Amino acid sequence: MTGFPADGTVATSGPGGGRTEPRLSPDEYAETVLKATAWACLYFTDEEDRPLQLRSVYSPAHPWQLVGGTMDPGERPWQTAVRECREETGITPAGPPRLLAMVYGLPGGGWPYSTLGCVFDGGRLSAAQIHDITVDPEEHDEVRVLPLPEWEALMPPRDFVRLSAVERARRTGEAAYVDTWDWGSE
Protein backbone atom coordinates (compact mmCIF):
# COMPACT_ATOMS: atom_id res chain seq x y z
CA MET A 1 0.00 0.00 0.00
CA THR A 2 1.28 3.46 -0.89
CA GLY A 3 0.38 6.61 1.00
CA PHE A 4 0.69 10.23 -0.11
CA PRO A 5 1.73 12.43 2.85
CA ALA A 6 1.61 16.21 2.65
CA ASP A 7 5.41 16.53 2.66
CA GLY A 8 5.69 15.47 -1.00
CA THR A 9 7.06 12.00 -0.35
CA VAL A 10 5.49 8.60 -0.78
CA ALA A 11 5.79 6.23 2.17
CA THR A 12 6.19 2.61 1.12
CA SER A 13 6.45 -0.60 3.02
CA GLY A 14 8.15 -3.80 2.09
CA PRO A 15 11.19 -5.91 2.82
CA GLY A 16 13.71 -3.94 4.86
CA GLY A 17 11.20 -1.61 6.50
CA GLY A 18 9.66 1.65 5.41
CA ARG A 19 11.29 4.19 3.11
CA THR A 20 10.20 7.35 1.36
CA GLU A 21 10.31 8.23 -2.31
CA PRO A 22 9.56 11.50 -4.11
CA ARG A 23 5.88 11.91 -4.90
CA LEU A 24 4.79 12.37 -8.53
CA SER A 25 2.77 15.43 -9.46
CA PRO A 26 -0.56 14.75 -11.17
CA ASP A 27 1.03 15.71 -14.52
CA GLU A 28 3.99 13.38 -13.96
CA TYR A 29 1.71 10.53 -12.92
CA ALA A 30 -0.53 11.09 -15.96
CA GLU A 31 2.49 10.50 -18.19
CA THR A 32 2.85 6.98 -16.74
CA VAL A 33 -0.68 5.70 -17.39
CA LEU A 34 -2.46 4.26 -20.43
CA LYS A 35 -3.22 6.69 -23.25
CA ALA A 36 -6.38 6.03 -25.24
CA THR A 37 -8.77 7.63 -27.67
CA ALA A 38 -12.43 7.14 -26.87
CA TRP A 39 -15.45 6.82 -29.13
CA ALA A 40 -19.15 6.11 -28.85
CA CYS A 41 -21.74 4.95 -31.33
CA LEU A 42 -25.25 3.63 -31.80
CA TYR A 43 -26.41 0.30 -33.12
CA PHE A 44 -29.52 0.68 -35.26
CA THR A 45 -31.51 -2.01 -37.02
CA ASP A 46 -34.54 -1.97 -39.22
CA GLU A 47 -37.83 -3.44 -38.02
CA GLU A 48 -36.60 -6.91 -39.05
CA ASP A 49 -33.50 -6.56 -36.80
CA ARG A 50 -31.10 -6.22 -39.73
CA PRO A 51 -28.07 -4.04 -38.81
CA LEU A 52 -27.74 -0.58 -40.32
CA GLN A 53 -24.30 0.80 -41.16
CA LEU A 54 -22.83 3.75 -43.01
CA ARG A 55 -20.16 3.50 -45.72
CA SER A 56 -17.14 5.64 -44.96
CA VAL A 57 -15.57 7.83 -47.63
CA TYR A 58 -12.31 8.23 -45.68
CA SER A 59 -11.55 4.74 -44.32
CA PRO A 60 -11.12 2.09 -47.01
CA ALA A 61 -9.73 -0.32 -44.38
CA HIS A 62 -13.00 -0.06 -42.41
CA PRO A 63 -15.61 0.83 -45.03
CA TRP A 64 -18.77 0.01 -43.06
CA GLN A 65 -19.28 1.70 -39.73
CA LEU A 66 -21.82 2.06 -36.98
CA VAL A 67 -23.25 5.55 -36.46
CA GLY A 68 -20.87 7.40 -34.13
CA GLY A 69 -17.40 8.75 -33.68
CA THR A 70 -14.62 10.04 -31.47
CA MET A 71 -15.40 11.78 -28.20
CA ASP A 72 -14.66 15.50 -27.98
CA PRO A 73 -12.91 16.87 -24.87
CA GLY A 74 -15.38 17.29 -22.01
CA GLU A 75 -17.95 14.98 -23.60
CA ARG A 76 -19.41 11.87 -22.03
CA PRO A 77 -19.98 8.72 -24.14
CA TRP A 78 -23.77 9.11 -24.51
CA GLN A 79 -23.34 12.78 -25.46
CA THR A 80 -20.88 11.73 -28.15
CA ALA A 81 -23.22 9.08 -29.54
CA VAL A 82 -26.12 11.56 -29.71
CA ARG A 83 -24.01 14.33 -31.30
CA GLU A 84 -22.41 12.02 -33.84
CA CYS A 85 -25.76 10.44 -34.73
CA ARG A 86 -27.31 13.84 -35.35
CA GLU A 87 -24.32 14.93 -37.46
CA GLU A 88 -24.09 11.70 -39.46
CA THR A 89 -27.78 10.86 -40.01
CA GLY A 90 -29.99 13.77 -38.95
CA ILE A 91 -31.54 11.54 -36.24
CA THR A 92 -31.49 12.65 -32.60
CA PRO A 93 -31.82 9.56 -30.38
CA ALA A 94 -33.93 10.13 -27.29
CA GLY A 95 -32.48 7.51 -24.98
CA PRO A 96 -32.28 6.53 -22.28
CA PRO A 97 -28.85 5.10 -23.02
CA ARG A 98 -28.62 1.32 -23.06
CA LEU A 99 -25.06 0.05 -23.32
CA LEU A 100 -24.69 -2.95 -25.61
CA ALA A 101 -20.92 -3.28 -25.76
CA MET A 102 -17.59 -2.02 -24.54
CA VAL A 103 -14.87 -2.32 -27.18
CA TYR A 104 -11.13 -2.14 -26.52
CA GLY A 105 -8.20 -2.10 -28.91
CA LEU A 106 -4.44 -2.08 -28.38
CA PRO A 107 -2.29 0.43 -30.26
CA GLY A 108 -0.46 -0.65 -33.40
CA GLY A 109 -0.36 -0.34 -37.16
CA GLY A 110 0.80 3.27 -36.91
CA TRP A 111 -1.79 4.29 -34.27
CA PRO A 112 -0.02 5.21 -30.99
CA TYR A 113 -2.93 4.84 -28.53
CA SER A 114 -5.35 2.24 -27.30
CA THR A 115 -9.02 2.78 -28.10
CA LEU A 116 -12.03 2.49 -25.82
CA GLY A 117 -15.51 2.50 -27.28
CA CYS A 118 -19.09 2.30 -26.09
CA VAL A 119 -21.83 0.94 -28.34
CA PHE A 120 -25.34 1.99 -27.33
CA ASP A 121 -28.65 0.60 -28.55
CA GLY A 122 -30.14 3.01 -31.06
CA GLY A 123 -33.29 0.95 -31.46
CA ARG A 124 -35.26 -0.12 -34.51
CA LEU A 125 -35.91 2.30 -37.34
CA SER A 126 -38.87 2.17 -39.67
CA ALA A 127 -38.38 2.06 -43.43
CA ALA A 128 -39.45 5.73 -43.56
CA GLN A 129 -36.87 6.72 -40.93
CA ILE A 130 -34.13 4.89 -42.81
CA HIS A 131 -35.21 6.49 -46.09
CA ASP A 132 -35.04 9.95 -44.46
CA ILE A 133 -31.45 9.56 -43.21
CA THR A 134 -29.26 12.32 -44.55
CA VAL A 135 -25.55 11.45 -44.49
CA ASP A 136 -22.73 13.98 -44.36
CA PRO A 137 -21.04 13.44 -47.76
CA GLU A 138 -17.65 14.36 -46.28
CA GLU A 139 -17.88 11.30 -44.02
CA HIS A 140 -20.28 8.77 -45.58
CA ASP A 141 -21.82 8.10 -48.96
CA GLU A 142 -24.30 5.29 -48.30
CA VAL A 143 -26.67 3.84 -45.72
CA ARG A 144 -27.21 0.11 -45.93
CA VAL A 145 -29.33 -2.42 -44.05
CA LEU A 146 -28.47 -6.11 -44.47
CA PRO A 147 -29.01 -9.38 -42.62
CA LEU A 148 -26.07 -9.94 -40.26
CA PRO A 149 -24.45 -12.80 -42.27
CA GLU A 150 -24.29 -10.63 -45.41
CA TRP A 151 -22.14 -8.03 -43.61
CA GLU A 152 -19.28 -10.50 -43.14
CA ALA A 153 -18.06 -10.32 -46.75
CA LEU A 154 -18.09 -6.50 -46.68
CA MET A 155 -15.93 -5.84 -43.64
CA PRO A 156 -12.63 -6.80 -42.01
CA PRO A 157 -12.91 -9.81 -39.68
CA ARG A 158 -12.46 -7.76 -36.47
CA ASP A 159 -15.22 -5.36 -37.53
CA PHE A 160 -17.56 -8.28 -38.15
CA VAL A 161 -16.67 -9.81 -34.76
CA ARG A 162 -17.64 -6.50 -33.15
CA LEU A 163 -20.89 -6.24 -35.14
CA SER A 164 -21.81 -9.84 -34.27
CA ALA A 165 -21.12 -9.25 -30.57
CA VAL A 166 -23.28 -6.12 -30.59
CA GLU A 167 -26.13 -7.95 -32.33
CA ARG A 168 -25.90 -10.79 -29.78
CA ALA A 169 -25.92 -8.28 -26.89
CA ARG A 170 -29.07 -6.64 -28.26
CA ARG A 171 -30.76 -10.01 -28.71
CA THR A 172 -29.77 -11.51 -25.33
CA GLY A 173 -29.76 -8.42 -23.12
CA GLU A 174 -26.23 -9.25 -21.94
CA ALA A 175 -23.64 -6.55 -22.68
CA ALA A 176 -20.69 -7.57 -24.85
CA TYR A 177 -17.04 -7.07 -24.09
CA VAL A 178 -14.87 -7.02 -27.23
CA ASP A 179 -11.15 -6.74 -26.49
CA THR A 180 -9.71 -7.82 -29.83
CA TRP A 181 -10.37 -4.66 -31.86
CA ASP A 182 -6.64 -3.90 -32.05
CA TRP A 183 -5.07 -1.43 -34.45
CA GLY A 184 -3.03 -3.04 -37.18
CA SER A 185 -4.79 -6.40 -37.00
CA GLU A 186 -7.19 -7.42 -39.72
Side-chain angles (χ1 to χ4, degrees):
M1 181 76 181
T2 304
F4 294 95
D7 68 0
T9 61
V10 175
T12 62
S13 60
R19 58 188 163 78
T20 59
E21 298 174 8
R23 179 176 147 178
L24 297 176
S25 72
D27 287 341
E28 291 169 326
Y29 177 72
E31 289 303 314
T32 71
V33 298
L34 174 74
K35 306 297 184 283
T37 54
W39 53 269
C41 61
L42 289 151
Y43 175 68
F44 288 106
T45 62
D46 67 1
E47 293 175 314
E48 296 175 38
D49 290 326
R50 297 177 300 183
L52 177 145
Q53 295 196 93
L54 308 177
R55 187 171 64 192
S56 171
V57 298
Y58 59 84
S59 181
H62 303 278
W64 291 99
Q65 304 176 350
L66 298 172
V67 176
T70 305
M71 291 175 62
D72 286 343
E75 229 174 20
R76 297 177 192 277
W78 177 247
Q79 291 171 316
T80 298
V82 170
R83 175 185 53 78
E84 287 282 345
C85 184
R86 191 173 39 250
E87 291 173 2
E88 293 181 352
T89 67
I91 296 171
T92 302
R98 178 177 170 232
L99 185 66
L100 293 177
M102 188 278 193
V103 181
Y104 177 78
L106 292 170
W111 187 253
Y113 300 115
S114 294
T115 57
L116 293 168
C118 296
V119 182
F120 295 100
D121 192 346
R124 291 174 177 88
L125 300 176
S126 68
Q129 287 173 303
I130 294 168
H131 179 268
D132 289 345
I133 289 176
T134 304
V135 294
D136 176 351
E138 292 185 19
E139 291 191 48
H140 303 98
D141 63 1
E142 185 180 344
V143 177
R144 193 177 290 184
V145 175
L146 293 171
L148 181 65
E150 291 183 30
W151 282 113
E152 188 169 15
L154 301 175
M155 33 191 350
R158 71 180 175 138
D159 291 3
F160 185 72
V161 165
R162 179 184 63 181
L163 182 63
S164 297
V166 169
E167 184 278 332
R168 188 171 42 261
R170 157 86 84 73
R171 185 174 26 84
T172 66
E174 184 175 321
Y177 172 68
V178 180
D179 68 354
T180 55
W181 205 69
D182 299 342
W183 286 98
S185 64
E186 296 305 327

